[in-house]
Amino acid sequence: HTAAKASNSNPENMHKEFVSRVQRNGEVAFANDEPLLLLSERAVSTLNRVLIGQGQRPVNARHFRPNLVVGEFENPNNESTRERNRDVLEVANPEDDWSLINIRHKNCELEVVGQCARCSMVDVDPTSAMKGKTLRALADYRRRGGQITFGIFLRCNRSFSTTNYTDDNLVLEEGDTINCT
C-alpha cells in the first residue's frame, strides 16, 4: 500500500484551463482514453532531472493536462519515500505499479485502466505556448512497446462505490489522503 496526498491543484482553474474534449464538426477531438488522468509529482521531478541534464527547461504537471496530481508518498511503515529515495530512477513513476486508488473518506475506489501514451502536445508549454523537447526526454527512459507513456488512466469502480458518483463529480482537495495499491 502507498498513501499519497492530493497536490496543489485549484479545481476551478484546472477546469478552466484544461478541456478533456474539444468538439469539432460534431466529432470529439483530443479526447483521452478514460475520464481521469493521474500523474505524480515524483514522475515530473524525475523528468525534470532528465530535461535539465539535456540543457532543456523544466516542466510542471500542467504540461500533461492531468485531472489529478499526487504528491508525497509514504510506505506502510510511515517512512516518507521522498526522504528515503531521493534519486532512485526505478521508483520515479510510482503510479506505474498501482492498480487501485482508494479514497476511503469519499467512499470511492478508482481502478487503473492503463498508461497514458503521449504525443507531441506535451512539448507545448500550456502557459506560454513555447515549444520544448519534453517528448524527446520522455522517450529516453519511458518508451515501452513502441509508445512513450507518462501518467495513468483511472475510472470509478462502480462495484465498490456505495455513493452515486459519476466520473465528473468526485471532488478531491489538496491534502486529501488516497491509498494506492
Side-chain angles (χ1 to χ4, degrees), residues 103-121:
I103 310 162
R104 263 199 195 113
H105 69 284
K106 302 284 186 175
N107 197 30
C108 182
E109 184 177 82
L110 303 172
E111 60 183 308
V112 176
V113 292
Q115 296 199 351
C116 180
R118 294 305 184 157
C119 68
S120 63
M121 280 301 295

Side-chain angles (χ1 to χ4, degrees), residues 38-140:
L38 178 142
L39 188 61
S40 71
E41 287 179 342
R42 175 166 309 154
V44 176
S45 293
T46 300
L47 170 60
N48 281 332
R49 285 194 300 260
V50 173
L51 284 165
I52 290 167
Q54 294 176 351
Q56 300 297 317
R57 288 187 315 266
V59 299
N60 61 45
R62 293 176 58 229
H63 274 76
F64 305 96
R65 285 80 174 166
N67 305 92
L68 181 61
V69 178
V70 293
E72 186 175 337
F73 299 89
E74 293 179 0
N75 67 18
N77 300 323
N78 290 328
E79 180 182 359
S80 170
T81 53
R82 179 180 288 173
E83 296 165 9
R84 191 170 53 101
N85 296 313
R86 289 177 194 237
D87 296 314
V88 180
L89 194 58
E90 302 88 67
V91 293
N93 295 62
E95 60 266 39
D96 289 349
D97 297 325
W98 298 340
S99 58
L100 291 172
I101 312 289
N102 187 290
I103 310 162
R104 263 199 195 113
H105 69 284
K106 302 284 186 175
N107 197 30
C108 182
E109 184 177 82
L110 303 172
E111 60 183 308
V112 176
V113 292
Q115 296 199 351
C116 180
R118 294 305 184 157
C119 68
S120 63
M121 280 301 295
V122 300
D123 286 340
V124 179
D125 183 314
T127 303
S128 68
M130 298 277 297
K131 193 162 183 183
K133 296 185 179 177
T134 307
L135 189 63
R136 182 177 295 169
L138 282 171
D140 284 351

Side-chain angles (χ1 to χ4, degrees), residues 9-19 62 66-67 69:
S9 303
N10 181 331
E12 186 176 325
N13 288 342
M14 293 288 281
H15 178 72
K16 288 178 184 174
E17 291 183 46
F18 307 116
V19 178
R62 293 176 58 229
N67 305 92
V69 178

